[in-house]
Amino acid sequence: MDARTTARRGHYTDRIEGSYRPITVHQLTLVWWLFQAGHITKRQLRVWFALHEMAERRRYMGKDRAARYEARELLHLIGGRSGGPREAKTLSELSGDLSRLSELKLIAFSEHSIQFARSADQIALDDLSGFWTMLGHIDTPGRTVPVPRRMIRALAAGFTKAGTALIFTILIRCLFWHKQTSSYRMDGRYKLGWVAEVFGVSRRQLSDARTRLID
């Protein structure tokens, strides 16, 4: 993000380079909890972000063109290899990933449409107590985060678990849209102890991940 003003609290800008996609804190917390609790795999978490990028791309299409979603686009976003038997195998695996996300009702996917669950109440699981406990540790769970599309694509390509947790934290705790000033604020305030407790990753792993991300 290019700075417009550096204020006493936070870093302000009037635009996010590469545009962004609005995703709520509730949704981000939900998809992490599903991953942390073992209901989805790390690749399925990456697929969820890839689907957000695919859906966002269609927002810029002309109204005379019908949206069409193909598995090869998904393969490209998560960094799979194209061509040969390996591609066929990966495409089959991605089909299974989409089926799992759909089974949980985290998404509704078809050739011409992608929809995302907005609330944990829509998820097809009997016990969501762990999610509600996690959400209770997070301020303003209904807030919408302007997630940079460049970051969405990076999350689809994949980070380590600790790196992903740290990025989630920064999005949830540190990235804001201020309607009054029509600007975005990157605050940068979080504690590794809080991240470790809420996201279930060790402080050592988070510290190493932060160093790698800064590098």
Side-chain angles (χ1 to χ4, degrees), residues 8 17 53 63 74-75 79-80 82 99-100 108 113 118 129 136 140 156 211:
R8 183 173 63 87
E17 292 293 332
E53 170 62 17
K63 295 183 178 179
L74 185 59
L75 174 68
S82 299
S99 295
R100 177 54 180 165
S113 174
R118 301 284 299 178
S129 57
T140 60
T211 300

Side-chain angles (χ1 to χ4, degrees), residues 56-159:
E56 191 65 20
R57 289 175 177 179
R58 272 57 176 188
R59 292 185 59 246
Y60 302 93
M61 291 174 51
K63 295 183 178 179
D64 57 334
R65 296 178 60 191
R68 182 182 177 87
Y69 299 99
E70 297 182 347
R72 280 185 175 82
E73 182 180 3
L74 185 59
L75 174 68
H76 183 264
L77 283 165
I78 68 165
R81 294 182 181 179
S82 299
R86 182 64 179 270
E87 176 182 327
K89 180 177 184 294
T90 305
L91 288 173
S92 176
E93 291 170 347
L94 288 175
S95 177
D97 293 334
L98 291 172
S99 295
R100 177 54 180 165
L101 296 177
S102 299
E103 176 187 353
L104 288 170
K105 301 193 182 302
L106 190 60
I107 65 164
F109 180 85
S110 70
E111 183 181 0
H112 300 292
S113 174
I114 304 175
Q115 297 180 25
F116 299 88
R118 301 284 299 178
S119 168
D121 294 327
Q122 297 173 263
I123 300 302
L125 286 174
D126 292 332
D127 185 4
L128 290 162
S129 57
F131 164 74
W132 295 113
T133 298
M134 181 179 180
L135 195 67
H137 291 284
I138 296 174
D139 297 332
T140 60
R143 184 174 70 83
T144 298
V145 181
V147 183
R149 287 181 62 193
R150 291 175 180 176
M151 182 55 70
I152 289 175
R153 292 192 293 271
L155 286 163
F159 291 95

